[in-house]
Amino acid sequence: MRQRLAILDDYQGVAYDYAPWDQLAADGIDVTVFGEPFEDEEDLVQALRQFSIVVAMRERTAFTAARLHQLPKLKLLVTTGMANPSIDIETARDLGITVCGTGGSSTAAPELTWALVLAAARNLQFEGNALRAGRLQSTVGFELAGKTLGVLGLGRIGTKVAGYAKAFGMDVIAWSPNLREEAAAAAGVRKVSKDALFREADVVSVHVRLSDRSRGVVGEEELRLLGPDGILVNTARGPLVDGDALLRGLNEGWLGGAALDVYDVEPLPADHPLLDAPRTVLTPHLGYVTAESYTRFYGEAFEDVRAWAQGKPVRVL
């Protein structure tokens, strides 16, 4: 019996550009590509009920326990990346669903982070829109040299971002719950307390993993310490930051600005208040969206599917 594979959330229509999905026909697998997000739970379940294989792009579509229970034919779930908090791995395992991952880019997210830092420092999004509307300069940016970058989470991505900051002549400080002095020293940064990070930094960039413990790790207290001249940059995950406090800080003026690539809800609804908030740079979760990243994501997802079809699954989570 032939099997059906769904490739989800191919927003740019490029899945076939990065892997030879048509070759799976020889393995008895028919491929369907979905280019738009599902409207709701019922829409998702109805669309995927007949599929035994699903390839998910990061956290664009969540696979909660409730959703997995409503997909009785699902046997293989592939996620791009080797971790995906939007998939209930334990439930999948209980239901006999194999979950596999892929590698990813180590440079895409840090480079996007630095683009947001620069854009926020020089008000690029606001001034670019003003230019298109026929207006000249109306804001004054600031130079990064001599300023302090606070890195919240000094892992693989945070360490790269810290290195970029040094190239711009910035002082770099860091905090995370388990950061050791020797790890900070090896990265050439100064370990500080969480409060000190937000009090001393001109720009704070968030790079911790999302978990129950880290959810809301940046709240109103931290944002107020960052202050009316401080910039928050988040390319990690939206729920790491208290969204209500962030909006209040921007609208009331006690937070200097925010540059965001991630949100509590994605795609960001057209009526979301962040879209009207002042002093923001907003991008639609572009951190991993590069040709190099997609080559590995889709290429290894294809390998995962073929290996599983041949009874030898790889990169099992």
Side-chain angles (χ1 to χ4, degrees):
M1 179 181 295
R2 298 190 69 81
Q3 301 195 71
R4 298 183 65 188
L5 181 157
I7 299 174
L8 304 187
D9 298 313
D10 180 17
Y11 296 166
Q12 299 98 336
V14 296
Y16 272 90
D17 295 341
Y18 293 100
W21 298 105
D22 52 350
Q23 292 182 13
L24 293 175
D27 297 302
I29 299 172
D30 298 320
V31 179
T32 301
V33 178
F34 293 85
E36 299 290 336
F38 298 108
E39 292 185 4
D40 51 35
E41 187 101 2
E42 183 178 356
D43 186 31
L44 178 146
V45 171
Q46 288 300 320
L48 299 183
R49 191 183 297 276
Q50 301 304 316
F51 288 88
S52 55
I53 307 168
V54 169
V55 173
M57 177 57 74
R58 303 305 298 130
E59 293 97 9
R60 290 178 183 175
T61 296
F63 285 88
T64 61
R67 289 180 174 181
L68 291 171
H69 276 287
Q70 295 180 79
L71 301 174
K73 292 190 175 182
L74 184 60
K75 298 303 178 185
L76 174 65
L77 177 56
V78 178
T79 175
T80 52
M82 287 302 290
N84 189 333
S86 72
I87 294 176
D88 190 321
I89 301 288
E90 184 175 343
T91 296
R93 187 180 299 114
D94 291 343
L95 294 173
I97 301 168
T98 300
V99 182
C100 298
T102 74
S105 169
S106 63
T107 56
E111 288 182 2
L112 190 277
T113 297
W114 207 252
L116 291 181
V117 171
L118 288 167
R122 302 301 287 271
N123 304 303
L124 293 189
Q125 198 163 68
F126 177 86
E127 292 290 4
N129 291 336
L131 178 66
R132 287 178 171 84
R135 301 192 301 274
L136 294 180
Q137 306 162 7
S138 59
T139 65
V140 178
F142 64 88
E143 298 176 10
L144 297 176
K147 300 296 192 301
T148 298
L149 175 72
V151 180
L152 189 74
L154 195 67
R156 179 171 52 92
I157 293 175
T159 298
K160 276 190 174 291
V161 170
Y164 297 159
K166 288 186 169 297
F168 279 80
M170 299 185 77
D171 182 36
V172 186
I173 57 178
W175 174 87
S176 63
N178 300 311
L179 179 61
R180 303 189 310 273
E181 292 281 359
E182 54 268 30
V189 308
R190 179 165 51 93
K191 178 187 174 184
V192 296
S193 69
K194 184 181 176 185
D195 282 358
L197 182 104
F198 283 90
R199 186 182 304 110
E200 296 180 24
D202 300 286
V203 179
V204 168
S205 191
V206 180
H207 301 291
V208 294
R209 283 186 178 272
L210 178 62
S211 66
D212 290 340
R213 186 177 66 169
S214 64
R215 189 177 300 270
V217 67
V218 181
E220 181 166 339
E221 179 181 355
E222 289 77 20
L223 295 174
R224 285 190 178 277
L225 288 173
L226 188 53
D229 297 318
I231 303 293
L232 179 78
V233 180
N234 188 7
T235 57
R237 292 295 180 268
L240 293 167
V241 179
D242 182 332
D244 291 337
L246 178 66
L247 273 170
R248 285 197 304 275
L250 293 168
N251 289 322
E252 295 173 10
W254 46 263
L255 176 64
L260 309 173
D261 188 49
V262 290
Y263 309 93
D264 288 351
V265 179
E266 296 181 11
L268 199 64
D271 61 350
H272 197 284
L274 259 177
L275 296 173
D276 295 319
R279 303 179 309 285
T280 55
V281 177
L282 307 177
T283 53
H285 206 153
L286 298 177
Y288 58 88
V289 183
T290 65
E292 293 81 1
S293 181
Y294 273 24
T295 295
R296 190 162 186 189
F297 277 172
Y298 282 122
E300 293 190 7
F302 172 84
E303 292 173 0
D304 288 350
V305 173
R306 172 154 277 180
W308 175 85
Q310 295 172 352
K312 300 176 181 178
V314 295
R315 291 184 284 267
V316 177
L317 302 185

